[in-house]
Amino acid sequence: MSQQGYVATPPYSQSQPGISGFSTGFGPPTSSPLYGHYGDPNPSYSAPQSGMLKSTVPFGSPASAGSPPPGTQQYSQTTFQNGPHSTGHQPHRFPGTSPANTTAPGYPPYCHQSQPSYPNTASSLSTTQVANQISTLQISNYGNGCIVICPGASQSSLMPSGVPTSFQGQGPPPPPTQQQVVLSSGSQIPPAPANLSSLCTPPSLPPVAMQDGIPGSLPPNTNLQQLPGQPPVPGHHLQHANYGPQMAGSQLSYPGAFPGGPGQLAGPQQRKLDPDSIPSPIQVIENDKASRGGQIYTTNIRGQVPPLVTTECVIQDQGNASPRYIRCTAYCFPSSSDMAKQAQIPLAAIIKPFAIVSPNETPIYVVNHGETGPIRCNRCKAYMCPFMQFIEGGRKYQCGFCSCINDVPPFFFQHLDHIGRRIDHYERPELSLGSYEYVATLDYCRNNKPPNPPAYIFMIDVSYNNIKNGLVKLICNELKTVLDKLPRNMYVINSVLPLSFNKKIVVTVSFQQAAECAGKLFIFHSSLPTAEAPGKLKNREDKKLINTDKEKTLFQPQVNFYESLARDCVASGCCVNLFLFPNQYVDVASMGLVTMYTGGSLYKYNNFQVHADAPQFLSDLRKDIEKRTGFDAIMRVRTSTGFRATDFFGAIYMNNTTDVEMAAIDSDKAITVEFKHDDKLNEDSGALIQCAVLYTSISGQRRLRVHNIGLNCSSQLADLYKSCETDALINFFAKSAFKAILNQPLKTVREILVNQTARMLACYRKNCATSSAVSQLILPDAMKVLPVYMNCLLKSCVLVGRPEIPTDERAYHRQLVMSMDVADTQLLFYPQLLPIHTMDVKSDAFPTAVRCSEERLSEGGVFFLANGLNMFLWLGVSAPPELIQGIFNVPSFAHVSAEATLLPEVDNPYSKKLRSLMDYIQSKRPYSMKLLIAKQREQADMLFRQYLVEDKSIYGGASYVDFLCCVHKEICQLLN
């Protein structure tokens, strides 16, 4: 298949304020020794001006870095293999790594664009034509992960087996040659909207992916590593599953098949597409669990796609960083920038430097070279890692990032074996592991002085209302417990500082103490006044702001005070955690800057009541105190020749284009980094990434944490599409879009997301899929659930253009997502929905999740839903009394109190297992989730249904099926 012909040209400029990395004019200087050791390989590169192209400074020629040959492990560990590629690799103390290569096209910046990227021509398909072409959809699966949408095949024209009559006597239709999802004809679906802007308008709240019943399970991929024992999954056609009796009167009718669309669309009445016939996130998750769950995943193969974030397995570091630390949107980068622009797939890495590893996994090793300090490349300043190639008998090494030849320090010299590898390869973590730490020397410290141990400062708003409602007493009582949980070498400055409701006192006290040492500042406030008008809050809850001219101000800070405060905090190494208990609008968009740019956390408890909300708040406080944290941190991401890091998203501050500054970074924070080409990539050496974080440990020791990963490169688009990870893509799209809304109208941002989705799929359809009619919707196997995830993102409360959602709530969600890792965004945008009534109390296994749709509910069922921020227990009106009795210790549905936020501890198997399930899900999430009881047809039921993300949103967000139609229409226009 030719790779030419389809070139996706972004309809916006190369660099816009809405998408490029955050950079302002404040922050610590870069001339100090602390920053000097983050030598910039591109000293001539400067931050681009708004609207201008970023300059590209090519690096040196690519360095060759071959995979280390098999070696004998010096530590007793079991030998594990990921698949045929790992044959011959023997276990060793520090698992060996092979260089990896990763390069991916950048996500185009946001900007105003009145014209679509592909103008509608006379030959473009009209809405009616598209509706007619895909009005008869039946999903056919060819057993290789393909779902095909073929127009014009009615039910009568299909054989009982689902094969069109045109194939009778000729055998089954030929399967597509690529790993793809192709939707074919059968049931009817609603027509697509006339314009995309209507589709991208109103969504609802965020969820995550999982569901069951997708035709076309994950097929074996011959180009990617396969685990032994993975069973083949044949294609199948699913019928409607029996989920219990229909819920009379429970069907909610919201106007508009699409967000912002008309209440009803003209045309003949159509049958609904069988939801089991379209790609299911749940099935994708369950297939990955079945094939890779509970196994050993070794990182010795460059560019291999790791198990999904929803799959539990043991990670063994053998030369590339664990996916717990780094996940990529694609594990095979396109070799050229033209190819990257053609595919339009963002090339990015989601880096979580302090991620928690499982107890059965090896922790980070610490390397101490004494006063000499870490060994680095003289040219690009990359740290010694498995990608360095030793030459001349071990006396020199060639940098894998810039190809510079460096002398090996005398103390570090070691002879090479017969295959050119150092004989101490497996004894040194920096040579054989993807992740490790160095003990830093004094020249990595501020003013060449050892740092003091970090300090915690607690500040409490003791206003009258907080004393009256019991909040102050609750905090003070809890601090007695919290202080005992602090590390022994941690000290507390004025553990409790009673403050009047006066902003100036907060600032004075915090910086007087924080000037001496880095640490964390905890502020417990019901609200904070603005600088211009103390005690008076500007009310931005004005519905008139919801238009293209003024809606951009919704997420913009309204005062300059908090930006100045953030600057001072970063300079002092002071991380701010803010706990808000608002009863009214408090301008989260402004206050959140302090926590955002210092690497802190923001917590918000609306209309706080001690009896109902204390458990959630206290749990958040305890978890925050106990997190593994690095203080006064700076991160630099280096890459091999041919591409570079261009944009950064997260709870970070950047004073230049390369140094990511964080007053602190904890185990829950992730930074998303986008890469773009500045030269052609070498398929042999691949694309290498090194992330180095300089920080102060809890004991006051200056350290360098280094993560390395190697990705493949290819000149074939098919290789790029096979290596994509949808969960990581959505993390990138969410953060880039949430950053763009600071400068772009919501409508523009939503349109770009839809257009980007269509361009990626159209490029695959034209260049990688089998030859077929343009009206077929063909999805790459690795991205078959991208449409449902993208629709969930569009329906998130941040991107909704409706005034019903409070501005503070939208700003709060925006800030949380900006620092989330892949697992958290996956669950947030597609919640986990578990049928509790099917739970086997005699088994240790939890019930399998079902798709987030009202069709999966039943009046006789009990369902648990969690999205990382909220938990619901939904009760059907006909739920079995014995189940209600077992969970709530009450006789019937009518006796269950919808006001409860905790389940009673009832001594029976139902109660114990449900509480165990809730505790397990909660333990995996950084924020404590408050439980809400949603009884069918009562008030909380409507709130619960906002999280059923495959359905239409109450705010007008499209259903999954509707969005699929819209994307298909856009793809047809691009292909024409």
Side-chain angles (χ1 to χ4, degrees):
M1 174 67 68
S2 172
Q3 301 297 325
Q4 309 299 323
Y6 176 80
V7 180
T9 305
Y12 19 69
S13 63
Q14 186 68 15
S15 178
Q16 290 291 336
I19 196 66
S20 53
F22 171 78
S23 178
T24 61
F26 59 85
T30 58
S31 59
S32 66
L34 172 64
Y35 304 95
H37 273 264
Y38 280 77
D40 190 349
N42 304 317
S44 62
Y45 177 71
S46 60
Q49 297 180 2
S50 175
M52 297 181 62
L53 292 175
K54 296 182 180 179
S55 61
T56 57
V57 181
F59 294 79
S61 58
S64 60
S67 304
T72 304
Q73 186 170 1
Q74 301 185 11
Y75 295 83
S76 57
Q77 293 183 2
T78 307
T79 301
F80 297 102
Q81 295 183 359
N82 283 346
H85 294 289
S86 59
T87 303
H89 284 267
Q90 300 298 322
H92 44 77
R93 174 180 184 179
F94 301 107
T97 82
S98 60
N101 218 318
T102 165
T103 313
Y107 182 59
Y110 293 86
C111 70
H112 291 277
Q113 183 70 22
S114 57
Q115 297 292 334
S117 57
Y118 296 84
N120 295 330
T121 62
S123 62
S124 298
L125 297 177
S126 66
T127 301
T128 304
Q129 289 173 323
V130 174
N132 292 336
Q133 287 184 350
I134 59 177
S135 61
T136 54
L137 285 180
Q138 176 163 354
I139 306 308
S140 299
N141 190 278
Y142 300 112
N144 66 341
C146 297
I147 302 177
V148 188
I149 297 185
C150 300
S154 63
Q155 293 284 8
S156 60
S157 67
L158 295 176
M159 299 173 60
S161 62
V163 179
T165 54
S166 61
F167 286 100
Q168 293 185 20
Q170 303 178 22
T177 58
Q178 300 289 337
Q179 296 274 335
Q180 59 196 28
V181 178
V182 192
L183 297 175
S184 71
S185 312
S187 309
Q188 295 185 355
I189 59 177
N195 58 61
L196 284 178
S197 61
S198 65
L199 169 76
C200 312
T201 322
S204 83
L205 294 177
V208 183
M210 317 164 73
Q211 77 188 41
D212 53 12
I214 171 178
S217 320
L218 291 178
N221 189 332
T222 57
N223 292 337
L224 295 179
Q225 180 185 17
Q226 295 296 306
L227 294 178
Q230 177 175 351
V233 188
H236 56 280
H237 182 87
L238 294 182
Q239 304 297 328
H240 281 292
N242 183 10
Y243 289 90
Q246 292 294 322
M247 299 181 292
S250 65
Q251 300 294 327
L252 301 178
S253 178
Y254 303 123
F258 297 91
Q264 292 189 358
L265 297 172
Q269 198 171 17
Q270 297 173 326
R271 291 172 296 167
K272 186 176 181 182
L273 177 66
D274 179 5
D276 284 330
S277 301
I278 54 180
S280 162
I282 298 297
Q283 193 63 49
V284 170
I285 291 171
E286 293 302 318
N287 287 346
D288 196 70
K289 287 181 179 179
S291 62
R292 311 184 80 172
Q295 299 185 13
I296 302 293
Y297 173 77
T298 59
T299 67
N300 58 321
I301 300 176
R302 187 183 76 187
Q304 61 180 334
V305 180
L308 297 179
V309 291
T310 49
T311 298
E312 293 189 2
C313 60
V314 177
I315 310 295
Q316 188 178 81
D317 186 342
Q318 291 193 1
N320 288 281
S322 163
R324 304 194 195 281
Y325 296 121
I326 301 180
R327 282 188 175 269
C328 299
T329 55
Y331 290 84
C332 179
F333 278 13
S335 57
S336 67
S337 59
D338 290 341
M339 181 179 169
K341 291 176 182 177
Q342 184 180 11
Q344 289 293 302
I345 295 177
L347 304 178
I350 296 85
I351 304 174
K352 194 176 181 183
F354 287 86
I356 300 297
V357 299
S358 300
N360 54 353
E361 296 177 4
T362 305
I364 293 282
Y365 284 94
V366 179
V367 180
N368 190 348
H369 288 323
E371 296 181 358
T372 305
I375 301 175
R376 311 178 66 179
C377 173
N378 293 327
R379 179 191 294 169
C380 70
K381 303 301 181 184
Y383 295 93
M384 178 60 63
C385 67
F387 305 143
M388 305 302 188
Q389 182 70 37
F390 289 88
I391 57 178
E392 297 187 14
R395 292 185 295 274
K396 296 181 183 294
Y397 69 92
Q398 184 178 36
C399 177
F401 295 88
C402 70
S403 299
C404 177
I405 304 298
N406 299 269
D407 292 328
V408 173
F411 81 92
F412 196 70
F413 171 79
Q414 186 56 271
H415 294 285
L416 306 183
D417 60 18
H418 66 287
I419 58 175
R421 182 167 51 186
R422 288 171 56 116
I423 62 177
D424 63 348
H425 176 84
Y426 295 117
E427 297 177 7
R428 291 191 176 274
E430 69 272 34
L431 299 181
S432 57
L433 296 181
S435 300
Y436 45 88
E437 281 193 350
Y438 284 111
V439 175
T441 53
L442 285 179
D443 48 357
Y444 286 85
C445 305
R446 292 182 185 271
N447 302 320
N448 290 335
K449 295 181 179 179
N452 292 323
Y456 279 11
I457 308 171
F458 297 89
M459 295 186 172
I460 307 172
D461 167 20
V462 293
S463 59
Y464 173 77
N465 287 337
N466 284 353
I467 296 176
K468 183 179 179 180
N469 66 18
L471 179 59
V472 173
K473 181 179 180 181
L474 177 69
I475 294 174
C476 291
N477 289 339
E478 177 62 18
L479 285 182
K480 298 175 183 177
T481 303
V482 167
L483 297 183
D484 292 336
K485 294 180 178 292
L486 292 177
R488 296 291 182 182
N489 46 15
M490 168 69 69
Y491 65 97
V492 181
I493 302 176
N494 293 343
S495 58
V496 179
L497 298 176
L499 301 177
S500 64
F501 196 72
N502 186 314
K503 167 179 52 29
K504 294 182 179 180
I505 296 180
V506 175
V507 178
T508 303
V509 174
S510 65
F511 285 112
Q512 178 183 355
Q513 306 295 347
E516 300 178 1
C517 60
K520 276 197 174 185
L521 170 63
F522 295 82
I523 302 179
F524 306 91
H525 259 290
S526 57
S527 60
L528 288 175
T530 61
E532 287 84 356
K536 296 181 180 179
L537 296 173
K538 291 184 177 180
N539 189 350
R540 288 192 293 156
E541 298 299 316
D542 186 353
K543 295 182 181 181
K544 295 180 181 179
L545 288 179
I546 310 297
N547 60 60
T548 51
D549 294 326
K550 297 182 179 180
E551 65 183 3
K552 290 182 289 183
T553 65
L554 291 174
F555 302 97
Q556 294 283 4
Q558 300 301 291
V559 295
N560 296 326
F561 164 75
Y562 295 101
E563 186 169 321
S564 175
L565 177 61
R567 175 195 62 202
D568 294 340
C569 287
V570 172
S572 301
C574 182
C575 171
V576 178
N577 287 357
L578 187 58
F579 293 77
L580 296 175
F581 308 86
N583 296 320
Q584 59 179 342
Y585 169 75
V586 295
D587 192 10
V588 171
S590 296
M591 286 189 293
L593 284 180
V594 185
T595 57
M596 172 75 78
Y597 297 146
T598 62
S601 299
L602 178 64
Y603 302 89
K604 186 164 72 74
Y605 312 91
N606 297 331
N607 302 310
F608 183 86
Q609 296 179 330
V610 171
H611 68 279
D613 301 305
Q616 181 188 11
F617 160 62
L618 296 179
S619 176
D620 281 334
L621 179 59
R622 293 164 188 162
K623 291 172 68 174
D624 201 296
I625 292 292
E626 296 173 353
K627 286 179 185 176
R628 177 182 175 87
T629 304
F631 299 92
D632 197 12
I634 290 183
M635 185 180 85
R636 169 70 69 87
V637 176
R638 294 179 174 85
T639 59
S640 57
T641 303
F643 73 112
R644 58 187 172 85
T646 57
D647 289 300
F648 301 83
F649 311 92
I652 58 176
Y653 165 72
M654 297 190 70
N655 192 42
N656 54 51
T657 60
T658 55
D659 292 318
V660 177
E661 301 178 41
M662 300 159 285
I665 178 171
D666 60 51
S667 56
D668 292 327
K669 299 295 190 300
I671 298 96
T672 299
V673 183
E674 183 182 10
F675 304 98
K676 292 183 180 178
H677 289 73
D678 54 18
D679 202 349
K680 190 174 179 65
L681 297 177
N682 187 301
E683 294 189 34
D684 294 330
S685 57
L688 311 180
I689 301 173
Q690 182 180 87
C691 169
V693 181
L694 175 64
Y695 75 99
T696 300
S697 69
I698 197 73
S699 60
Q701 187 179 52
R702 204 67 173 153
R703 289 187 178 182
L704 271 160
R705 176 166 288 206
V706 182
H707 299 293
N708 306 279
I709 188 171
L711 308 180
N712 290 331
C713 296
S714 177
S715 58
Q716 301 297 317
L717 281 170
D719 294 335
L720 169 61
Y721 281 95
K722 289 176 184 178
S723 72
C724 289
E725 183 178 333
T726 300
D727 294 334
L729 281 169
I730 291 300
N731 180 282
F732 172 82
F733 279 126
K735 292 183 179 180
S736 58
F738 287 7
K739 182 177 181 179
I741 58 179
L742 295 177
N743 301 284
Q744 302 296 327
L746 291 174
K747 179 182 177 183
T748 301
V749 174
R750 290 192 297 266
E751 286 179 347
I752 291 173
L753 288 174
V754 178
N755 293 337
Q756 182 85 358
T757 303
R759 278 194 296 272
M760 289 189 294
L761 299 179
C763 177
Y764 177 84
R765 166 69 180 77
K766 183 166 187 176
N767 297 281
C768 305
T770 51
S771 179
S772 56
V774 174
S775 56
Q776 286 187 341
L777 174 58
I778 302 178
L779 307 174
D781 187 73
M783 300 169 66
K784 59 189 172 188
V785 292
L786 178 65
V788 65
Y789 279 129
M790 186 62 75
N791 190 39
C792 293
L793 171 58
L794 289 168
K795 294 195 288 187
S796 69
C797 67
V798 179
L799 295 181
V800 171
R802 300 289 290 269
E804 292 91 341
I805 301 178
T807 303
D808 272 348
E809 194 67 20
R810 298 168 70 180
Y812 174 65
H813 276 258
R814 176 187 173 274
Q815 176 159 336
L816 296 189
V817 170
M818 291 302 290
S819 62
M820 282 185 175
D821 67 357
V822 176
D824 290 335
T825 53
Q826 188 272 340
L827 184 61
L828 181 66
F829 293 119
Y830 197 102
Q832 191 172 17
L833 182 62
L834 303 175
I836 301 302
H837 56 280
T838 66
M839 186 168 58
D840 183 1
V841 295
K842 298 180 180 179
S843 169
D844 293 335
F846 293 142
T848 301
V850 297
R851 302 172 70 159
C852 284
S853 173
E854 184 180 0
E855 294 185 354
R856 307 294 162 166
L857 303 180
S858 62
E859 290 186 350
V862 175
F863 291 82
F864 175 78
L865 183 145
N867 76 336
L869 300 179
N870 304 280
M871 290 192 303
F872 289 88
L873 191 60
W874 186 88
L875 309 176
V877 292
S878 301
E882 61 272 16
L883 186 57
I884 297 294
Q885 172 75 31
I887 296 174
F888 296 96
N889 200 26
V890 295
S892 68
F893 173 90
H895 292 81
V896 176
S897 172
E899 304 299 322
T901 57
L902 292 174
L903 294 181
E905 296 186 8
V906 186
D907 188 14
N908 66 69
Y910 285 111
S911 175
K912 290 180 179 179
K913 182 150 189 179
L914 177 56
R915 285 184 284 113
S916 173
L917 181 151
M918 294 171 58
D919 290 343
Y920 174 79
I921 294 176
Q922 179 64 81
S923 68
K924 301 291 185 180
R925 309 270 69 91
Y927 290 88
S928 299
M929 295 179 281
K930 179 181 177 180
L931 177 65
L932 295 179
I933 306 298
K935 301 175 68 175
Q936 185 183 353
R937 302 174 190 167
E938 295 190 7
Q939 186 175 4
D941 188 16
M942 183 67 72
L943 180 61
F944 166 80
R945 291 174 190 273
Q946 295 180 21
Y947 296 86
L948 301 179
V949 292
E950 290 199 24
D951 302 334
K952 286 189 294 186
S953 165
I954 188 175
Y955 300 113
S959 70
Y960 178 16
V961 172
D962 291 344
F963 183 75
L964 205 58
C965 294
C966 180
V967 171
H968 183 216
K969 172 180 177 288
E970 183 71 2
I971 292 173
C972 290
Q973 292 177 343
L974 298 179
L975 294 176
N976 285 335

